């Protein structure tokens, strides 16, 4: 149930960083990379990713690293 609920400015920054990282590298960033590059704690990143999943901006596989997939983005493959 995707909707266009408004994200906070901080959440927008994190989501933009994730999109940019995936576009440049072809895989998703770690929680630490998101935290370090958006000036947030890893806990704030964790909470934001849960919110993004609930609002269907992203999906990811539980208990596996670097599995964030942004809705509407294609993953780059070699």
């Amino acid at each position: 149930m995707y909707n266009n609920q408004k994200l906070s400015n901080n959440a927008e920054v994190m989501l933009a960083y994730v999109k940019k990282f995936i576009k440049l590298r072809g895989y998703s960033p770690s929680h630490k990379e998101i935290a370090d590059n958006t000036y947030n704690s890893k806990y704030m990143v964790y909470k934001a990713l849960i919110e993004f999943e609930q609002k269907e901006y992203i999906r990811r596989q539980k208990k596996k690293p670097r599995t964030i997939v942004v809705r509407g983005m294609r993953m780059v493959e070699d």
Side-chain angles (χ1 to χ4, degrees):
M1 138 186 253
Y2 178 74
N3 55 43
N4 287 326
Q5 292 180 10
K6 184 79 172 138
L7 296 174
S8 69
N9 288 339
N10 191 35
E12 288 280 354
V13 168
M14 281 191 259
L15 188 58
Y17 175 76
V18 170
K19 288 178 180 180
K20 181 178 177 182
F21 189 100
I22 292 170
K23 189 173 184 178
L24 290 173
R25 299 191 182 172
Y27 57 91
S28 63
S30 67
H31 290 198
K32 183 175 182 343
E33 288 167 330
I34 298 168
D36 290 349
N37 288 282
T38 61
Y39 307 103
N40 286 288
S41 67
K42 287 194 286 184
Y43 178 74
M44 290 300 295
V45 170
Y46 169 77
K47 296 294 280 185
L49 291 175
I50 290 171
E51 178 186 3
F52 297 157
E53 277 188 294
Q54 290 171 343
K55 293 182 178 180
E56 298 185 5
Y57 284 98
I58 67 166
R59 63 182 166 82
R60 52 190 178 141
Q61 294 178 9
K62 301 293 184 214
K63 299 188 181 200
K64 289 192 176 185
R66 300 187 185 268
T67 60
I68 300 168
V69 177
V70 178
R71 187 176 196 272
M73 276 189 81
R74 294 171 133 198
M75 294 298 284
V76 176
E77 296 186 23
D78 294 327

